[in-house]
Amino acid sequence: MIAYIIRRLLLLPIILIGVTFLIFCMFSLLSPMERLATYVNDPSTLKNPQAAERIIEKYHLNDPFPLGYIQWVKRIAKFDLGWSQAANQPVWDAICQRFPATLELVIYSIVPVILVGIWLGVISAVHHNDIIDQSIRVTAIVGWSLPTFIFGLLVLFVFYGILGWLPPGRLSTWAQDIVYTGTNFHSYTHLVTIDALLNGNIPIFVDALRHLCAPIITLSYVYWAFLLRIARSSMLDTLRKDYIRTARAKGVDEHTVIHKHAERNALIPVVTIAGMLIIGMLGGVVVAETVFTYPGLGFWAATAAQQLDYGSVIGFALLFALIMVVGNLVVDVSYAFIDPRVRLE
Amino acid sequence: MVNDKKPLLKIEGLKTYFFTENGVVKAVDGVDFEVYKRETLGLVGESGCGKSVTAFSIMRLLDYPGKTIGGKILFKDENLLKKNNEEMRKIRGKEIAMIFQEPMTALNPVLTIGYQISEALMMHFDISKEEAMRRSVKLLKKVSMPIPEQRVNEYPHQLSGGMRQRAMISMAMACDPALLIADEPTTSLDVTIQAQILDLMKSLLQEFNASLIMITHDLSVIAEIADKVAVMYAGKIVEYTDKKTIFHTPLHPYTFGLLTSIPRLDVEMKKLNAISGTVPDPLKFPEGCKFNPRCKFATDKCRKKEPLLIKIEEGHMVRCWHIDKVKKEMRKGFLVGV
Amino acid sequence: MNRTLRKLFSNATSLLGIILLVFFIIIAIFAPVLAPPLSDDPYQIPRMSWDVNPQPPGFPMSDNIKDMYKYIGKEVKYDKAICGTAQGGYDIFYGLIWGTRTAFKIGITTVFSAMLIGLFIGSIAAYFGRWVDEVLMRITDIFLSFPFLVAAMVLTTILGRGLNKVMIALIAFGWMGYARVIRGSILSAKEETYVMAAKALGVRDGKIIWRHLLPNTIFPVLIQASMNIGTMVVTAATLSFLGVGAPLGYADWGQMVSFARNWIVGAPGHAGQYWYSVFYPGIFIILFVLAWNLIGDALRDILDPRLRGEL
């Protein structure tokens, strides 16, 4: 297994170089003026040729292609990603400030997705072709066909418009006053729900949860449908395997057959898919945050894209690509732990 | 060998059909046979003739869309088809155990060998995990597995083909079953290993006083291990007798064909006498005798009416209209040298 | 093939998919009849009024706009908004009809182009193997390291607004799945006897790929393509919704939903008063995607040999 992990780790720098290079290529599609704009925090600078020249010099924006790439990577390594007009602060600061909100959303969404998705997928496969399976399948295919933004608007309409239960945003105004400007509230993790509990402030916790629910529902419905399909077909495949018949021939009870013999094997491919799920979710985050004006990375990036704030958009792409690369690495390594055929290689 | 008067397993008129989208496949269509204590029955036939389906019907482990729709499976005088799922589960592995063809796919790749053997024990006896593991090591020793203490912690992919089949056998023998069903246990193995595994099975059967149903397409396996033989064709038994008779005086043209398609060194043969034609499409079995399109004795009668399995003499049953012709043919033909 | 078609039609869910698809095809073909264009660019949605607020179905076209069309000599077929108007007075009905053409244009162009690129890269990687394979597959991995929607959003932003830019972005990050599938199936087909035989006979490489390998690997790709059309259309709609897709007033379902976004909650106490502004475009997107997904799902069940009724 060590050889496998080392091989996988050796691949990491290649992928990282490739990813940054690809982003730099996209960056290079911009006109020199637009590229310059990503490093400028004051629009009047652009009108001043000398000041502009200084910045072009400083950031090596006129260097030929390979050198320009190297300079660019060097700046990234120092977290200098330019200036975000949408947030009116450096891109890196904007990322740091919004990251916890998005993290909180993704963590809370991924748990129901994985548990419900796999659970229903297994049930669906065990009851292959009967009424339970059919209804789960239909729910899943509808969910899979439901674009996140439309489902999000539906959730917003029902739970906010009609019922008034789940408001958009991250916190109510009174809660913002306490959390962001209050003196008695300490932000330990910047995950509001957890901070609220650490501060023993239950009203804030409830308020934060109320705001989180709608984007969580939106994100998870679409993705559990996706995972369910994978889990179901993988489980169906596994239940046809000879070793399942062997287990039954030994007199193993159905519960053990499904949970010990089949599930372990069926979930190995599902782990791989979990990587793809993170990819999908990161895209969904942009939509869910925009629909519910939830102040995370996705909302910021969408706003920046509308305003043609290239610096923020490039920084955002870079960050999400890195998260993906690391996520895939984690998935591949955990794959090795689950499957003895790889582990004992 | 046949000591007890009462058979351990008695199958009467077993019918198992597969209800597929394209039509009903009569995989097993009225099969009768008996297995006595300490006796080995060989179930022979080409692939797709229904021999494996017969085995899975006995175990009641048919896959969708297969269903046993008629007959009786009397095991120790109780009809297995009347048992509910839980009663059946207690019989599987404990009373009737099974060995499969391809040990690589028949063993669970993510569970250790030790777990898979001890699981069989723990399902049927009230013993601790440690005790089950200890017994698993003992069982592996019994099937001559090298370094069993280490093997119990290994996974199937770390073992060779022969070792996997030994593990499979020890799993089947774990609960001391009265009846063992082996579905082509040696087919996927090298020839040298095949012989070892057959020897091992023979000695284990004696030690455990168990009966065996050996399913195979390979007559040399029958010659090695069987006491009685049932030849199956297209879901039906066409000839049923003891081993000696099947090799010396077979009476069904199909059996005859199977025997002559084995290359022999002791008789000079002009060409390998393979049976002409192919196994019929299970959806469109021919009218009359199912073997008639491939049979050189076939007449109009064969094409119209299916013969019954009739007793020719004590312990020899054949399903054919033209036994006399076959006898004549045999006398002048293939068995001259025997 | 006949059997496949028969099965597609006999299965209830895939039949529903086919009916939906036929419905959309008819709308797309007869768009000029159903909703005659009122300007030179038929994809530009005409406005029924200059109101900011959406207006309910049956809302009449304002007189000055009517006069304007009379002046430029365009015949107004409907002087009422059949499905209401969206924010800014855009006629929802017109947007739905011409949006169908937009959806087909996006779906088919992007999937077809992505498929060709994937086919090209995948078959070359699999056929030549070794370092060619290694390099091409690492490039595929790199493209796969971006969440699809994020990548499409970023590239569209950089290229600039417009439907063509959206399609380029979707193609640029949409080919990898095809490359992988085609590579996988060619790798397994390569070992088959007929390819060995062709090679032994000295058939040229290009010819082997074309004549022997592709026909045998095309089914998995077709299944993927059918499911992929839905994804592409949704992603394009999502980009429009996020405000980086189609230009303002372009007949595009995603943009129409984004028009509705500010109105979906309604005035206090009047939840759902603007339901039509999101309902019609939303249902069109959902049904369009559902149609392709149902067909793709059924195709997969039918063409997957493991799931056929074998003995």
Side-chain angles (χ1 to χ4, degrees), chain B residues 9 44 51 86 113 129 143 148 228 286 289 304 317 336:
Chain B
L9 177 77
V44 194
K51 50 196 197 311
E86 183 56 20
I113 298 292
K129 238 181 182 165
V143 296
K228 280 190 185 163
C289 174
K304 284 203 185 90
M317 311 217 316
V336 178

PDB file of all heavy atoms in Angstrom, chain B residues 9 44 51 86 113 129 143 148 228 286 289 304 317 336:
ATOM      1  N   LEU B   9     -31.345 -38.013   0.711  1.00  0.00           N
ATOM      2  CA  LEU B   9     -32.013 -36.981  -0.095  1.00  0.00           C
ATOM      3  C   LEU B   9     -32.785 -37.668  -1.201  1.00  0.00           C
ATOM      4  O   LEU B   9     -32.253 -38.546  -1.878  1.00  0.00           O
ATOM      5  CB  LEU B   9     -30.970 -36.041  -0.715  1.00  0.00           C
ATOM      6  CG  LEU B   9     -31.523 -34.958  -1.640  1.00  0.00           C
ATOM      7  CD1 LEU B   9     -32.131 -33.833  -0.844  1.00  0.00           C
ATOM      8  CD2 LEU B   9     -30.436 -34.421  -2.543  1.00  0.00           C
ATOM      9  N   VAL B  44     -24.040 -35.394 -14.389  1.00  0.00           N
ATOM     10  CA  VAL B  44     -23.216 -35.079 -15.550  1.00  0.00           C
ATOM     11  C   VAL B  44     -24.044 -34.437 -16.651  1.00  0.00           C
ATOM     12  O   VAL B  44     -25.213 -34.786 -16.832  1.00  0.00           O
ATOM     13  CB  VAL B  44     -22.589 -36.368 -16.129  1.00  0.00           C
ATOM     14  CG1 VAL B  44     -21.478 -36.020 -17.108  1.00  0.00           C
ATOM     15  CG2 VAL B  44     -22.048 -37.235 -15.020  1.00  0.00           C
ATOM     16  N   LYS B  51     -27.907 -28.840 -14.517  1.00  0.00           N
ATOM     17  CA  LYS B  51     -27.352 -29.513 -13.339  1.00  0.00           C
ATOM     18  C   LYS B  51     -27.080 -28.541 -12.197  1.00  0.00           C
ATOM     19  O   LYS B  51     -27.376 -28.838 -11.038  1.00  0.00           O
ATOM     20  CB  LYS B  51     -26.093 -30.319 -13.705  1.00  0.00           C
ATOM     21  CG  LYS B  51     -25.036 -29.583 -14.495  1.00  0.00           C
ATOM     22  CD  LYS B  51     -24.076 -30.585 -15.115  1.00  0.00           C
ATOM     23  CE  LYS B  51     -22.768 -29.970 -15.586  1.00  0.00           C
ATOM     24  NZ  LYS B  51     -22.836 -28.785 -16.410  1.00  0.00           N
ATOM     25  N   GLU B  86     -36.164 -19.032   7.409  1.00  0.00           N
ATOM     26  CA  GLU B  86     -35.307 -19.188   8.575  1.00  0.00           C
ATOM     27  C   GLU B  86     -34.955 -20.666   8.787  1.00  0.00           C
ATOM     28  O   GLU B  86     -33.800 -21.002   9.053  1.00  0.00           O
ATOM     29  CB  GLU B  86     -36.007 -18.589   9.811  1.00  0.00           C
ATOM     30  CG  GLU B  86     -35.211 -18.619  11.097  1.00  0.00           C
ATOM     31  CD  GLU B  86     -33.845 -17.948  11.001  1.00  0.00           C
ATOM     32  OE1 GLU B  86     -33.628 -17.131  10.081  1.00  0.00           O
ATOM     33  OE2 GLU B  86     -32.974 -18.267  11.839  1.00  0.00           O
ATOM     34  N   ILE B 113      -9.933 -15.121   5.160  1.00  0.00           N
ATOM     35  CA  ILE B 113     -10.287 -16.527   5.067  1.00  0.00           C
ATOM     36  C   ILE B 113     -10.817 -17.016   6.411  1.00  0.00           C
ATOM     37  O   ILE B 113     -11.845 -17.689   6.499  1.00  0.00           O
ATOM     38  CB  ILE B 113      -9.027 -17.349   4.686  1.00  0.00           C
ATOM     39  CG1 ILE B 113      -8.509 -16.900   3.318  1.00  0.00           C
ATOM     40  CG2 ILE B 113      -9.308 -18.830   4.711  1.00  0.00           C
ATOM     41  CD1 ILE B 113      -9.383 -17.236   2.172  1.00  0.00           C
ATOM     42  N   LYS B 129     -16.078 -15.972  19.113  1.00  0.00           N
ATOM     43  CA  LYS B 129     -15.254 -15.661  17.954  1.00  0.00           C
ATOM     44  C   LYS B 129     -13.916 -16.392  18.012  1.00  0.00           C
ATOM     45  O   LYS B 129     -13.466 -16.969  17.020  1.00  0.00           O
ATOM     46  CB  LYS B 129     -14.974 -14.158  17.941  1.00  0.00           C
ATOM     47  CG  LYS B 129     -15.439 -13.453  16.698  1.00  0.00           C
ATOM     48  CD  LYS B 129     -15.077 -11.985  16.830  1.00  0.00           C
ATOM     49  CE  LYS B 129     -15.572 -11.210  15.635  1.00  0.00           C
ATOM     50  NZ  LYS B 129     -15.574  -9.777  15.818  1.00  0.00           N
ATOM     51  N   VAL B 143      -7.604 -29.743   5.684  1.00  0.00           N
ATOM     52  CA  VAL B 143      -7.577 -29.741   4.217  1.00  0.00           C
ATOM     53  C   VAL B 143      -6.150 -29.516   3.694  1.00  0.00           C
ATOM     54  O   VAL B 143      -5.951 -29.093   2.559  1.00  0.00           O
ATOM     55  CB  VAL B 143      -8.522 -28.676   3.609  1.00  0.00           C
ATOM     56  CG1 VAL B 143      -9.960 -28.980   3.954  1.00  0.00           C
ATOM     57  CG2 VAL B 143      -8.154 -27.272   4.066  1.00  0.00           C
ATOM     58  N   PRO B 148      -1.605 -22.862   8.373  1.00  0.00           N
ATOM     59  CA  PRO B 148      -2.979 -22.368   8.552  1.00  0.00           C
ATOM     60  C   PRO B 148      -3.085 -21.192   9.516  1.00  0.00           C
ATOM     61  O   PRO B 148      -3.961 -20.346   9.339  1.00  0.00           O
ATOM     62  CB  PRO B 148      -3.728 -23.582   9.096  1.00  0.00           C
ATOM     63  CG  PRO B 148      -2.697 -24.496   9.593  1.00  0.00           C
ATOM     64  CD  PRO B 148      -1.466 -24.266   8.787  1.00  0.00           C
ATOM     65  N   LYS B 228     -22.802 -43.408  -8.058  1.00  0.00           N
ATOM     66  CA  LYS B 228     -23.891 -43.486  -9.030  1.00  0.00           C
ATOM     67  C   LYS B 228     -23.793 -42.287  -9.939  1.00  0.00           C
ATOM     68  O   LYS B 228     -23.194 -41.275  -9.581  1.00  0.00           O
ATOM     69  CB  LYS B 228     -25.230 -43.466  -8.309  1.00  0.00           C
ATOM     70  CG  LYS B 228     -25.612 -44.807  -7.744  1.00  0.00           C
ATOM     71  CD  LYS B 228     -27.029 -44.719  -7.282  1.00  0.00           C
ATOM     72  CE  LYS B 228     -27.463 -45.999  -6.580  1.00  0.00           C
ATOM     73  NZ  LYS B 228     -28.664 -45.738  -5.799  1.00  0.00           N
ATOM     74  N   PRO B 286     -36.723 -28.758 -28.676  1.00  0.00           N
ATOM     75  CA  PRO B 286     -37.442 -29.454 -29.755  1.00  0.00           C
ATOM     76  C   PRO B 286     -38.618 -30.267 -29.219  1.00  0.00           C
ATOM     77  O   PRO B 286     -38.662 -30.612 -28.041  1.00  0.00           O
ATOM     78  CB  PRO B 286     -36.365 -30.352 -30.359  1.00  0.00           C
ATOM     79  CG  PRO B 286     -35.332 -30.503 -29.298  1.00  0.00           C
ATOM     80  CD  PRO B 286     -35.354 -29.242 -28.507  1.00  0.00           C
ATOM     81  N   CYS B 289     -38.476 -36.158 -28.075  1.00  0.00           N
ATOM     82  CA  CYS B 289     -37.252 -36.330 -27.305  1.00  0.00           C
ATOM     83  C   CYS B 289     -36.358 -35.123 -27.545  1.00  0.00           C
ATOM     84  O   CYS B 289     -36.092 -34.750 -28.674  1.00  0.00           O
ATOM     85  CB  CYS B 289     -36.547 -37.609 -27.747  1.00  0.00           C
ATOM     86  SG  CYS B 289     -34.934 -37.799 -26.967  1.00  0.00           S
ATOM     87  N   LYS B 304     -41.870 -36.883 -32.282  1.00  0.00           N
ATOM     88  CA  LYS B 304     -43.238 -36.571 -31.883  1.00  0.00           C
ATOM     89  C   LYS B 304     -43.467 -36.731 -30.387  1.00  0.00           C
ATOM     90  O   LYS B 304     -44.091 -35.895 -29.754  1.00  0.00           O
ATOM     91  CB  LYS B 304     -44.207 -37.494 -32.639  1.00  0.00           C
ATOM     92  CG  LYS B 304     -44.374 -37.055 -34.086  1.00  0.00           C
ATOM     93  CD  LYS B 304     -45.677 -37.554 -34.656  1.00  0.00           C
ATOM     94  CE  LYS B 304     -45.787 -37.215 -36.138  1.00  0.00           C
ATOM     95  NZ  LYS B 304     -45.215 -38.295 -36.982  1.00  0.00           N
ATOM     96  N   MET B 317     -31.804 -46.832 -15.336  1.00  0.00           N
ATOM     97  CA  MET B 317     -32.972 -46.221 -15.946  1.00  0.00           C
ATOM     98  C   MET B 317     -32.525 -45.395 -17.141  1.00  0.00           C
ATOM     99  O   MET B 317     -31.517 -44.699 -17.084  1.00  0.00           O
ATOM    100  CB  MET B 317     -33.687 -45.332 -14.937  1.00  0.00           C
ATOM    101  CG  MET B 317     -33.886 -46.083 -13.659  1.00  0.00           C
ATOM    102  SD  MET B 317     -35.362 -45.851 -12.734  1.00  0.00           S
ATOM    103  CE  MET B 317     -35.748 -44.211 -12.651  1.00  0.00           C
ATOM    104  N   VAL B 336     -15.880 -52.563 -28.202  1.00  0.00           N
ATOM    105  CA  VAL B 336     -15.268 -53.842 -28.534  1.00  0.00           C
ATOM    106  C   VAL B 336     -14.079 -54.146 -27.634  1.00  0.00           C
ATOM    107  O   VAL B 336     -13.930 -55.230 -27.092  1.00  0.00           O
ATOM    108  CB  VAL B 336     -14.810 -53.851 -30.003  1.00  0.00           C
ATOM    109  CG1 VAL B 336     -14.143 -55.155 -30.343  1.00  0.00           C
ATOM    110  CG2 VAL B 336     -15.991 -53.597 -30.911  1.00  0.00           C
TER     111      VAL B 336
END
